[in-house]
């Protein structure tokens, strides 16, 4: 049995340097792959599955068909209209097409990174992290789905004196949150909806864990930012936002920042690359006036909200 | 997590107008008051024109006097003649006075250096971009009076009559350019001396040196006496020019009805009677003092980069403080006077080149670069109230000239850095950002004293110099990627089939990467030697035939040495060769190393054939190269170590070589201005996948679009170059305006700059634009007349650039993570 062995790698889909929207200062953002939620508006659809996924970018494809010829499983076909089409029932995810593709139109999303590799990337950014008051942000996907790996990385960063943020949906067992609180300097905590049923309808899961875990963070007097993806038709209404504000006001410690992240259909291209259909039904972008209204709604409850994280 | 990681921003989030880089000059008139608004408007709307006044005065003078005097005295008397006869202009609302020509934007020609042909003038008058108007009548006069006399007598004739065949082949193929065939070597800046001494004080110093000449023992005593006499004449010439402005102001007073304007004219006359004869006594006089000196320098000769007041905020602050204290000046008046000065500089586009059909020609900008902030001579923070005022003016006026730069040392407060970034984010292209902590070390390394180094700064694009004490002549760009190109063809230019280099062996015979690099190094050595040999000759021709006797007055230690600016007179004498295309050459070497020699996925023959055929039918190969090669600018040691090697080898081949002046040395510079475009035009495809004719990389920036790991990876790559060895490097970063919206974004960009400078960066500049806006500007040039774009060391109007340059600006990497 391998189960007892401690993991020595992290399953990520990206590490982004010079990240300026994920916490204070300039940061390195480490994106874990795999998420228990499946929000319909998700901007990183490749972050959802806990496995390696193939991405195909048709606009990069020059139609050379080297991949079609190379595929050992005969899973690929080509037509000028659709480009390279993968028959996933045959595809063995061997990656031969990725290697042969001259334009990187085919890529694999998700691989195991060693701790050393991750720490080295963070170290390269340390100059600007220090001068900007930045740090590292563990995001995803859901980083808390990998508690052992995350804890190890948080500890290593802590040893190097690097500020640590964890960007989470909060949908994990309370013990997981409790376990990493001592090694985390800041939580970036997402709140999607206060009504559990509606939450489930749009994200696939209920919100009880999420709310109780946030209470846990606040009870531990740990610094946190609230991030609310504002989707018109889903959660950008007075009822939900009033409930959100009341909930935040009931907590022992108030959030440092409440960031409103207006929905945008910008990720449609990513769904296409994954071979998924992006269903925008019922979702739209709040107008500028609506955003202003929401900010004043929070203000009337004594909370300062802003656009952007 | 709402940040999109891969998709570029297609739609501008704000209207272009709100970005501040657009305005219609007639409806939205920037400027602090009506005077500044109207002066600015006039400056922008007046078309550039050719004034033949100087050429006529000079030709007549040469006809009558050539041979009667020593050359320095002849040149000084010629300068005097121009100051005596030129038309004097004082504009309606002006406070700071003086135009080189007879009106704003009327530009002189300099036939003693290169004489425009009739065809040149016709093309200048009719071409679409950077047009200089001239009347048919003036062309006829020029053809009759000017052109015949200068045939065979110009500096350009002297140079081209003398060039060796192999130089000519290399020059025509575009292995390098030659600065001094078009304009006088210039590139200098002023220190603080003219705020303490007037021309009469300089004359006293000159007289003292003449009285001390040792005619018994010093073989150069006679030459020195002639040079010193010429300097004294030049001082008188500038005083005369100022007095004529005083007289003009008094004459205008007589017919002026507006009592307020009468008062102003009276003041102008008073100022012009005091400066430049005497040291300035107040803020107004200090600015006017500098402006007369500037006019003197750009009238005497057409030196590259015009001229530059250097650390203007530091020079003016004592006058400002004094006038504010004694209540003779308000903050508003100070800003108004400075704004007047700013517009004056904008009234003076660069003198147009000859042979203008050549694709390499054509910049409009005269590179006056005001240094703001930085350090004082004692190393402490120099930022003062005027530094902020100047930033305000840059933001308000957003005109092409003067360029401005902020100097951010470790002692510079963040408040100033952030104020500068707020101007940068408006997208006017200015200011650029320099690092005194590094450039002072650059100067110390090349032999300057600590105080002289700290009084120095950056002029033109990015080149470093000891202001007021150094002649630092830029002699031309070196096309480093093309040198690699001919290495792959055994010294033959694949574009023309001509042999322009030496034979270093067939590429297919190179057994390993070291063989290839060795051959490349041999070609580099050959080309650099070729360039230096002719440089040294041209240098002597300037010393002999075109001494700059006025510039010598104000450059230490010309008076003390009794030697001209071009003849080793300055305290420091530097000659720069500007190396271009570090990104392109690095990426090409990286591609050859990886694909041909290490992984052997492509044979050398296949690679050479592919670039020879411009990758036709080889798109799969090209894509594999473009997408699977370590490129410079990604913090990848594989590529970055190649860049470091090439950089160090260029340094070893250029640095510290004698330049023919006592103690004078060559140093390496790393900039391209717009030349990366011309150089790309004369090249075939390259092993990095770059297609024939496409621009090469600019300055020390990564190849366009090849930096895909964000700005912090770019600065890490650049940080690996030991920039202290250079006389300046250049990094362009492009940002979308939406990425600098919040104040915290400003602080984060500030950290990026500080981080780069902490790693030894010399310079960085930002293009704050978005693609959609630029495309729109390209399609509707009329509506975007005022769009300024900063690239590769200078700012220009987007619509004055050619299609290639426009395309380049659009393609340049957008930093997606913002």
């Amino acid at each position: 049995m391998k189960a007892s062995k401690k993991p020595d790698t992290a399953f990520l889909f990206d590490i982004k340097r010079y990240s300026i929207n994920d916490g204070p200062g300039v940061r390195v953002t480490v994106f874990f792959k795999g998420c228990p939620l499946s929000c319909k508006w998700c901007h990183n659809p490749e972050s959802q599955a806990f496995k390696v996924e193939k991405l195909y970018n048709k606009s990069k494809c020059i139609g050379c068909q080297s991949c079609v010829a190379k595929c050992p499983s005969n899973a690929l076909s080509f037509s000028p209209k659709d480009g390279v089409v993968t028959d996933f029932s045959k595809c063995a995810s061997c990656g031969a097409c990725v290697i042969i593709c001259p334009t990187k139109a085919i890529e694999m999303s998700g691989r195991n990174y060693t701790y050393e590799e991750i720490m080295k990337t963070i170290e390269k950014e340390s100059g600007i992290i220090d001068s900007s008051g930045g740090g590292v942000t563990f995001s995803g996907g859901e980083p808390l789905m990998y508690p052992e790996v995350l804890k190890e990385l948080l500890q290593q960063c802590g040893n190097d004196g690097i500020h640590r943020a964890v960007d989470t949906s909060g949908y994990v067992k309370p013990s997981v949150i409790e376990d990493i609180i001592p090694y985390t300097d800041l939580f970036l905590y997402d709140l999607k909806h206060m009504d559990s049923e509606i939450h489930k309808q749009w994200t696939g899961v209920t919100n009880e864990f999420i709310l109780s875990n946030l209470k846990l963070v606040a009870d531990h007097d740990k610094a946190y930012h609230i991030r609310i993806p504002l989707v018109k038709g889903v959660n950008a209404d007075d009822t939900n936002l009033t409930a959100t504000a009341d909930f935040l006001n009931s907590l022992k410690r108030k959030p440092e920042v409440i960031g409103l992240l207006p929905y945008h259909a910008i990720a449609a291209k990513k769904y296409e690359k994954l071979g998924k259909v992006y269903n925008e039904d019922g979702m739209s972008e709040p107008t500028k006036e609506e955003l202003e209204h929401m900010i004043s709604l929070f203000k009337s409850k004594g909370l300062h909200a802003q656009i952007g994280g | 997590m709402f940040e999109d990681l891969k998709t570029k921003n297609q739609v501008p989030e704000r209207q272009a107008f709100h970005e501040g880089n657009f305005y219609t000059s007639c409806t939205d008139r920037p400027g602090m008051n009506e005077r500044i608004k109207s002066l600015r408007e006039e400056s922008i709307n007046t078309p550039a024109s050719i004034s033949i006044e100087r050429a006529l005065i000079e030709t007549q003078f040469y006809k009558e006097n050539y041979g009667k005097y020593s050359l320095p005295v002849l040149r000084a008397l010629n300068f005097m003649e121009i100051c005596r006869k030129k038309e004097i202009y004082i504009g309606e609302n002006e406070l700071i006075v003086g135009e080189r020509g007879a009106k704003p934007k009327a530009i002189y020609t300099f036939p003693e250096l290169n004489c425009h042909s009739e065809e040149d003038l016709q093309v200048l008058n009719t071409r679409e971009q950077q047009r200089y108007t001239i009347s048919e009548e003036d062309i006829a006069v020029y053809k009759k009076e000017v052109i015949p006399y200068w045939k065979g007598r110009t500096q350009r004739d002297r140079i081209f009559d003398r060039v060796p065949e192999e130089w000519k082949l290399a020059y025509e193929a575009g292995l390098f350019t030659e600065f001094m065939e078009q304009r006088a070597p210039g590139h200098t800046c002023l220190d603080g001396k003219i705020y303490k001494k007037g021309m009469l004080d300089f004359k006293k110093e000159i007289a003292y040196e003449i009285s001390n000449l040792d005619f018994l023992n010093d073989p150069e005593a006679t030459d020195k006496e002639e040079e010193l006499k010429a300097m004294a004449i030049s001082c008188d010439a500038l005083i005369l020019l100022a007095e004529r402005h005083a007289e003009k102001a008094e004459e205008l007073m007589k017919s002026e009805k507006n009592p307020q304007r009468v008062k102003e004219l009276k003041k102008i006359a008073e100022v012009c009677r005091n400066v430049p004869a005497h040291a300035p006594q107040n803020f107004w006089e200090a600015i006017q003092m500098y402006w007369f000196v500037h006019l003197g320098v750009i009238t005497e000769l057409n030196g590259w980069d015009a001229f530059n007041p250097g650390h203007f905020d530091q020079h003016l602050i004592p006058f400002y403080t004094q006038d504010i204290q004694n209540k003779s000046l308000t903050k508003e008046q100070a800003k108004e006077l400075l704004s007047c000065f700013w517009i004056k500089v904008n009234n003076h586009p660069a003198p147009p080149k000859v042979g203008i059909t050549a694709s390499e020609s054509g910049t409009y900008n005269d590179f006056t670069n005001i240094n703001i902030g930085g350090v004082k001579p004692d190393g402490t923070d120099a930022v003062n109230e005027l530094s902020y005022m100047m930033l305000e003016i840059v933001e308000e006026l957003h005109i092409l000239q003067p360029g401005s730069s902020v100097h951010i040392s470790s002692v510079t407060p963040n408040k100033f850095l952030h104020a500068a970034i707020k101007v940068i984010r408006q997208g006017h292209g200015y200011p650029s950002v320099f690092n005194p902590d590094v450039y002072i070390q650059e100067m110390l390394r090349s032999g300057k004293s600590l105080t002289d180094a700290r009084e120095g700064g950056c002029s033109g694009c990015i080149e470093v110099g000891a202001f007021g004490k150094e002649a630092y002549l830029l002699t031309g760009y070196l096309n480093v990627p093309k040198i690699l190109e001919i290495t792959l063809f055994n010294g033959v230019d694949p574009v023309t089939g001509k042999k322009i280099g030496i034979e270093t062996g067939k590429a297919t015979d190179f057994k390993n990467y070291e063989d290839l690099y060795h051959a490349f190094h041999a070609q580099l050595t050959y080309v650099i030697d070729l360039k230096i040999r002719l440089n040294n000759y041209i240098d002597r021709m300037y010393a002999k035939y075109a001494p700059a006797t006025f510039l010598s007055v104000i450059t230490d230690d010309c008076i003390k040495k009794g030697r001209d600016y071009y003849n080793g007179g300055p305290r420091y004498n530097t000659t720069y060769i500007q190396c271009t295309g570090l990104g392109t050459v690095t990426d090409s070497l990286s591609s050859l190393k990886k694909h041909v020699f290490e992984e052997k996925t492509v044979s050398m023959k296949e690679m050479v054939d592919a670039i020879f055929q411009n990758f036709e039918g080889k798109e799969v190969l090209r894509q594999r190269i473009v997408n699977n090669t370590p490129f410079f600018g990604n913090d990848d040691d594989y590529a970055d170590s190649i860049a470091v090697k090439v950089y160090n080898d260029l340094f070893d081949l250029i640095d510290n070589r004698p330049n023919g002046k006592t103690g004078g040395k060559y140093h390496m510079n790393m900039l391209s201005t717009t030349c990366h475009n011309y150089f790309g035009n004369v090249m075939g495809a390259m092993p990095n996948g770059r297609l024939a004719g496409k621009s090469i990389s600019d300055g020390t920036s990564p190849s366009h679009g090849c930096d895909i790991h964000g700005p912090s990876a770019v600065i890490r790559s650049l940080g690996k170059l030991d920039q202290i060895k250079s006389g300046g490097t250049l990094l362009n970063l492009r940002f979308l305006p939406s990425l600098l919206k919040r104040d915290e974004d400003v602080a984060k960009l500030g950290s990026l700059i500080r981080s780069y400078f902490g790693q030894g960066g010399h310079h960085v500049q930002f293009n704050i634009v978005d693609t959609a806006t630029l495309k729109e500007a390209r399609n509707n040039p009329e509506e975007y007349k005022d769009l300024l774009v900063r690239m590769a060391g200078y700012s220009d109007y987007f619509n004055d650039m050619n299609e290639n340059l426009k395309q380049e600006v659009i393609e340049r990497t957008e930093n997606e993570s913002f």
Side-chain angles (χ1 to χ4, degrees):
Chain A
M1 279 284 280
K2 278 185 175 179
S4 61
K5 199 191 160 206
K6 273 185 99 176
D8 51 8
T9 57
F11 187 58
L12 311 176
F13 72 90
D14 203 359
I15 302 179
K16 198 87 182 164
R17 295 169 65 173
Y18 204 71
S19 180
I20 62 164
N21 294 318
D22 293 310
V26 175
R27 312 185 73 84
V28 174
T29 303
V30 177
F31 293 92
F32 284 86
K33 191 161 172 2
C35 185
L37 278 66
S38 48
C39 307
K40 296 204 170 158
W41 55 82
C42 182
H43 275 186
N44 290 324
E46 75 274 34
S47 73
Q48 292 181 354
F50 290 82
K51 58 170 190 186
V52 176
E53 280 176 293
K54 191 168 136 181
L55 303 178
Y56 171 63
N57 186 348
K58 186 169 172 285
S59 60
K60 272 191 173 179
C61 179
I62 54 171
C64 70
Q65 302 181 46
S66 347
C67 53
V68 177
K70 192 79 181 179
C71 178
S73 317
N74 284 324
L76 304 179
S77 60
F78 179 84
S79 73
K81 182 174 162 279
D82 300 321
V84 176
V85 176
T86 306
D87 179 350
F88 283 101
S89 67
K90 290 185 189 167
C91 174
S93 288
C94 68
C97 52
V98 175
I99 294 165
I100 197 75
C101 177
T103 63
K104 290 199 172 159
I106 305 175
E107 284 179 288
M108 285 296 180
S109 175
R111 74 171 171 88
N112 289 314
Y113 288 66
T114 64
Y115 295 153
E116 196 191 343
E117 192 180 355
I118 297 167
M119 294 309 292
K120 212 173 162 184
T121 305
I122 296 169
E123 194 191 319
K124 282 183 168 191
E125 206 75 342
S126 62
I128 191 160
I129 285 176
D130 290 349
S131 66
S132 67
V136 59
T137 297
F138 295 99
S139 181
E142 175 51 65
L144 290 171
M145 293 308 284
Y146 301 89
E148 275 182 284
V149 178
L150 179 63
K151 191 171 160 186
E152 175 64 30
L153 287 167
L154 286 170
Q155 278 177 319
Q156 289 199 18
C157 290
N159 291 341
D160 294 349
I162 298 165
H163 180 270
R164 302 154 296 184
V166 173
D167 182 1
T168 180
S169 68
Y171 190 75
V172 287
K173 282 187 219 150
S175 62
V176 171
I177 288 267
E178 202 135 23
D179 201 28
I180 66 141
I181 283 178
Y183 308 103
T184 303
D185 301 304
L186 173 71
F187 282 94
L188 306 175
Y189 208 103
D190 292 5
L191 277 187
K192 276 112 187 174
H193 210 291
M194 294 306 291
D195 182 306
S196 197
E197 269 313 299
I198 301 177
H199 197 281
K200 189 168 182 199
Q201 184 192 335
W202 289 97
T203 71
V205 302
T206 55
N207 70 5
E208 284 78 14
F209 271 138
I210 296 170
L211 299 182
S212 63
N213 282 334
L214 178 55
K215 190 164 176 300
L216 202 57
V217 169
D219 282 347
H220 274 80
D221 206 17
K222 189 57 82 176
Y224 67 98
H225 295 177
I226 291 296
R227 315 227 280 184
I228 304 173
L230 270 186
V231 189
K232 196 168 157 184
V234 177
N235 64 357
D237 53 80
D238 284 12
T239 318
N240 179 49
L241 294 176
T242 306
T244 305
D246 289 343
F247 177 72
L248 293 174
N249 275 325
S250 74
L251 296 173
K252 188 178 159 197
R253 177 180 171 138
K254 302 284 171 293
E256 265 73 14
V257 174
I258 300 171
L260 305 179
L261 312 175
Y263 165 81
H264 195 284
I266 206 163
K269 176 90 181 171
K270 284 190 174 184
Y271 284 82
E272 191 189 307
K273 281 163 77 174
L274 275 166
K276 291 184 178 176
V277 178
Y278 183 55
N279 184 359
E280 222 194 330
D281 284 355
M283 303 189 294
S284 62
E285 196 178 343
T287 64
K288 207 178 155 196
E289 290 71 31
E290 285 165 332
L291 287 173
E292 276 163 16
H293 168 70
M294 288 161 202
I295 288 172
S296 57
L297 189 149
F298 278 99
K299 202 175 172 187
S300 71
K301 296 275 178 183
L303 294 166
H304 172 72
Q306 64 183 48
I307 305 294
Chain B
M1 67 191 274
F2 252 58
E3 171 191 33
D4 178 69
L5 297 173
K6 294 265 156 63
T7 311
K8 287 187 183 184
N9 187 1
Q10 301 288 331
V11 186
E13 294 192 15
R14 290 183 283 183
Q15 290 288 311
F17 177 79
H18 295 122
E19 301 302 340
N21 42 5
F22 299 91
Y23 51 89
T24 309
S25 46
C26 295
T27 52
D28 170 23
R29 307 183 342 147
M32 62 184 288
N33 58 27
E34 274 309 309
R35 182 200 311 278
I36 300 305
K37 281 177 185 172
S38 67
L39 286 173
R40 178 186 174 282
E41 200 168 61
E42 181 189 27
S43 184
I44 286 183
N45 291 340
T46 305
S49 61
I50 298 283
S51 163
I52 64 169
E53 183 181 58
R54 182 185 181 282
L56 288 177
I57 299 170
E58 174 173 73
T59 306
Q60 189 59 32
F61 182 81
Y62 262 69
K63 279 181 186 166
E64 286 167 11
N65 295 289
Y66 193 85
K68 285 189 196 165
Y69 307 99
S70 67
L71 269 156
V73 171
L74 178 88
R75 290 298 302 166
L77 288 172
N78 182 58
F79 177 48
M80 171 77 93
E81 189 81 349
I82 296 164
C83 292
R84 179 181 295 127
K85 291 189 172 164
K86 82 173 286 295
E87 196 161 321
I88 302 296
Y89 170 89
I90 295 180
E92 216 174 309
N93 290 301
E94 288 189 339
L95 299 177
I96 301 299
V97 299
E99 286 290 328
R100 170 164 54 185
K103 59 176 186 185
K105 286 177 137 173
I107 307 306
Y108 280 165
T109 59
F110 297 76
E112 74 274 39
L113 302 180
N114 53 48
C115 190
H116 289 84
S117 67
E118 185 189 355
E119 190 201 348
D120 286 338
L121 297 174
Q122 295 287 8
V123 172
L124 282 172
N125 190 31
T126 52
R127 68 181 178 185
E128 276 178 26
Q129 280 163 11
Q130 298 161 16
R131 183 174 168 213
Y132 291 79
T133 62
I134 178 169
S135 67
E136 286 298 330
E137 195 188 338
D138 277 357
I139 294 178
V141 173
Y142 211 81
K143 188 181 169 191
K144 181 159 172 276
E145 303 291 338
V146 179
I147 295 171
Y149 176 78
W150 293 104
K151 199 171 160 44
R153 288 187 173 94
T154 68
Q155 282 292 70
R156 199 163 192 251
D157 291 332
R158 273 181 207 110
I159 295 164
F160 283 112
D161 286 353
R162 182 54 195 258
V163 298
E165 189 56 28
E166 58 269 33
W167 186 94
K168 206 170 162 189
L169 280 167
Y171 173 76
E172 285 169 0
L175 282 178
F176 47 72
T177 63
E178 180 48 64
F179 263 34
M180 299 179 286
E181 55 99 7
Q182 288 276 354
R183 294 180 63 178
H187 293 98
T188 199
C189 246
L190 202 51
D191 57 4
K193 68 170 77 71
I194 60 160
Y195 309 96
K196 300 186 184 89
K197 294 181 208 170
M199 291 299 133
L200 295 175
D201 302 306
F202 290 117
K203 279 187 76 181
K204 277 184 206 150
E205 289 177 13
I206 292 164
Y208 174 79
E209 293 301 334
I210 291 177
S211 70
N212 273 351
L213 286 172
D214 181 358
F215 287 92
L216 293 176
N217 298 302
D218 183 357
E220 287 182 21
T222 306
D223 290 345
K224 287 178 182 172
E225 186 184 26
E226 290 300 313
E227 176 70 28
L228 288 163
K229 271 160 59 183
M231 289 186 206
I233 295 166
S234 306
C235 292
D236 288 335
L238 199 71
I239 296 170
L240 174 66
L241 182 70
E243 278 177 353
R244 292 187 62 215
H245 280 86
E247 285 162 15
K248 177 81 178 180
E250 282 156 358
E251 183 195 315
L252 289 171
M253 272 165 68
K254 288 177 200 155
S255 54
E256 180 60 54
K257 302 259 173 6
N258 179 350
Q260 175 60 27
R261 184 60 183 162
V262 171
K263 249 170 87 181
E264 286 167 7
L265 287 165
K266 197 170 167 223
K267 175 73 179 173
I268 288 169
E270 183 194 317
V271 168
C272 294
R273 295 239 185 256
N274 193 46
V275 294
H278 308 278
Q281 298 301 309
N282 54 47
F283 190 73
W284 188 328
E285 288 188 1
I287 295 175
Q288 184 67 61
M289 175 78 178
Y290 173 74
W291 185 243
F292 275 132
V293 169
H294 186 104
L295 278 183
V297 173
I298 66 171
T299 302
E300 176 182 42
L301 279 166
N302 64 359
W304 274 101
D305 286 5
F307 200 53
N308 186 334
H311 296 288
F312 214 25
D313 51 351
Q314 292 186 50
H315 300 321
L316 294 180
I317 195 70
F319 299 101
Y320 176 77
T321 312
Q322 164 208 292
D323 292 3
I324 292 283
Q325 268 169 12
N326 68 25
K327 296 198 175 6
S328 58
L329 182 81
T330 65
K331 201 180 164 185
E332 288 293 295
Q333 287 167 333
K335 191 174 161 190
E336 185 178 41
L337 285 164
L338 267 178
S339 298
C340 286
F341 165 78
W342 238 255
I343 294 163
K344 270 289 167 203
V345 180
N346 195 59
N347 284 349
H348 292 77
K353 292 180 175 182
V354 304
I356 38 192
T357 46
S359 54
E360 66 171 295
S361 76
T363 182
Y364 189 69
N365 183 324
D366 219 353
F367 299 96
T368 292
N369 180 348
I370 313 260
N371 288 217
I372 310 174
V375 298
K376 293 181 193 168
D378 63 4
T380 58
D381 172 32
V383 171
N384 61 43
E385 209 179 320
L386 291 176
S387 316
Y388 290 97
M389 190 185 283
M390 287 178 183
L391 282 180
E392 255 178 63
I393 290 171
V394 171
E395 176 164 9
E396 257 175 42
L397 294 182
H398 43 110
I399 44 184
L400 182 60
Q401 279 284 290
S404 56
S405 53
V406 289
H407 296 249
I408 308 298
S409 149
S410 55
V411 299
T412 307
N414 265 340
K415 185 185 165 194
F416 178 69
L417 172 60
H418 294 169
I421 294 171
K422 284 178 182 169
V423 181
I424 290 170
R425 79 169 162 187
Q426 298 302 315
H428 310 322
Y430 289 123
S432 55
V433 191
F434 286 94
N435 181 9
D437 299 338
V438 161
Y439 69 62
I440 288 169
Q441 289 190 66
E442 291 166 21
M443 283 189 265
L444 292 174
R445 192 202 66 80
S446 62
K448 279 92 178 170
S449 77
L450 184 58
T451 308
D452 289 352
R454 284 174 176 159
E455 280 184 343
C458 294
S459 62
C461 289
I462 50 87
E463 46 277 24
V464 67
F467 293 172
K469 301 162 193 81
E470 180 173 14
Y472 44 116
L473 315 180
L474 274 70
T475 60
Y477 299 105
L478 190 69
N479 192 345
V480 183
K482 183 145 187 98
I483 296 174
L484 177 62
E485 183 186 30
I486 65 166
T487 307
L488 296 172
F489 293 90
N490 201 11
V492 172
D493 181 358
V495 178
T496 60
K498 287 185 188 168
K499 195 179 149 202
I500 58 172
I502 52 174
E503 286 178 21
T504 46
K506 281 164 101 175
T508 44
D509 292 342
F510 299 145
K511 295 209 165 39
N512 48 42
Y513 177 74
E514 285 66 36
D515 282 358
L516 163 73
Y517 195 86
H518 183 77
F520 168 59
H521 190 272
Q523 296 284 1
L524 264 182
T525 309
Y526 167 76
V527 177
I528 289 171
D529 282 356
L530 206 56
K531 171 95 184 122
I532 287 182
R533 202 182 313 152
L534 195 79
N535 276 353
N536 289 346
Y537 164 73
I538 300 175
D539 241 20
R540 289 311 300 159
M541 290 303 101
Y542 272 94
K544 202 168 159 56
Y545 291 101
T549 57
F550 178 68
L551 183 55
S552 301
V553 171
I554 50 171
T555 307
D556 295 330
D557 301 313
C558 294
I559 295 177
K560 211 181 277 176
K561 291 186 192 170
R563 296 183 81 106
D564 192 80
Y565 181 82
Y566 291 138
N567 197 23
R571 188 171 303 166
Y572 309 107
N573 293 280
T574 296
T575 307
Y576 283 129
I577 292 176
Q578 309 100 272
C579 304
T580 67
L582 184 66
T584 303
V585 80
T586 297
D587 297 346
S588 297
L589 285 167
S590 175
S591 169
L592 289 164
K593 188 177 181 189
K594 182 177 180 204
H595 302 297
V596 176
F597 293 113
E598 286 177 4
E599 295 181 355
K600 299 189 181 5
T601 47
V602 189
S603 72
M604 182 61 102
K605 182 169 186 316
E606 202 185 336
M607 180 70 94
V608 171
D609 287 350
I611 61 172
F612 189 71
Q613 289 151 21
N614 196 22
F615 289 104
E616 263 168 47
K618 295 278 179 189
E619 186 58 17
V620 173
L621 170 64
R622 198 181 79 84
Q623 287 293 341
R624 194 174 300 138
I625 292 169
V626 168
N627 290 296
N628 295 285
T629 305
F631 286 148
F632 182 58
N634 294 292
D635 196 7
D636 177 340
D637 282 336
Y638 188 95
D640 296 350
S641 62
I642 295 173
V644 168
K645 169 85 175 138
V646 173
Y647 175 90
N648 286 339
D649 285 340
L650 287 167
F651 172 81
D652 289 339
L653 288 170
I654 294 170
D655 189 67
N656 231 20
R657 296 177 67 163
N659 64 5
K661 294 164 188 163
T662 314
K665 301 281 189 221
Y666 273 88
H667 297 300
M668 173 184 72
N669 223 314
M670 302 295 291
L671 77 149
S672 61
T673 318
T674 58
C675 201
H676 49 282
N677 238 275
Y678 161 64
F679 278 169
N681 262 329
V682 296
M683 286 174 62
M686 285 295 278
N688 66 339
R690 178 199 143 279
L691 291 171
K694 295 269 180 197
S695 162
I696 59 170
S697 61
D698 68 70
T700 34
S701 307
S703 300
H704 308 144
C706 288
D707 49 321
I708 53 172
H709 288 92
S712 53
V714 174
I715 63 169
R716 286 261 310 178
S717 285
L718 271 286
K720 292 170 194 173
L721 306 171
D722 186 356
Q723 300 190 18
I724 292 166
K725 287 168 152 184
S726 76
T729 63
L730 184 151
L731 172 61
N732 270 306
L733 284 175
R734 178 171 160 195
F735 286 78
L736 296 176
S738 53
L739 308 175
L740 280 166
K741 256 184 190 171
R742 306 169 300 175
D743 282 354
E744 59 179 283
D745 297 334
V746 168
K748 286 173 185 179
L749 186 65
S751 301
L752 180 76
I753 294 168
R754 294 253 190 218
S755 175
Y756 180 46
F757 286 0
Q759 292 169 42
H762 170 95
H763 155 276
V764 59
Q765 66 192 18
F766 301 91
N767 245 345
I768 311 293
V769 284
D770 60 61
T771 309
T773 307
L774 288 174
K775 285 182 179 160
E776 176 66 10
R778 186 172 57 178
N779 296 335
N780 301 303
E782 280 300 306
E783 289 168 38
Y784 296 93
K785 242 170 100 176
D786 298 353
L787 172 57
L788 268 174
V789 175
R790 181 153 180 81
M791 56 181 300
Y794 82 111
S795 260
D796 213 334
Y797 289 111
F798 183 75
N799 286 310
D800 273 345
M801 301 192 299
N802 63 30
E803 282 308 311
N804 281 351
L805 276 173
K806 284 182 195 167
Q807 187 57 30
E808 179 196 322
V809 171
I810 291 169
E811 277 175 10
R812 205 174 274 163
T813 312
E814 293 170 17
N815 293 278
E816 296 169 19
S817 72
F818 261 80

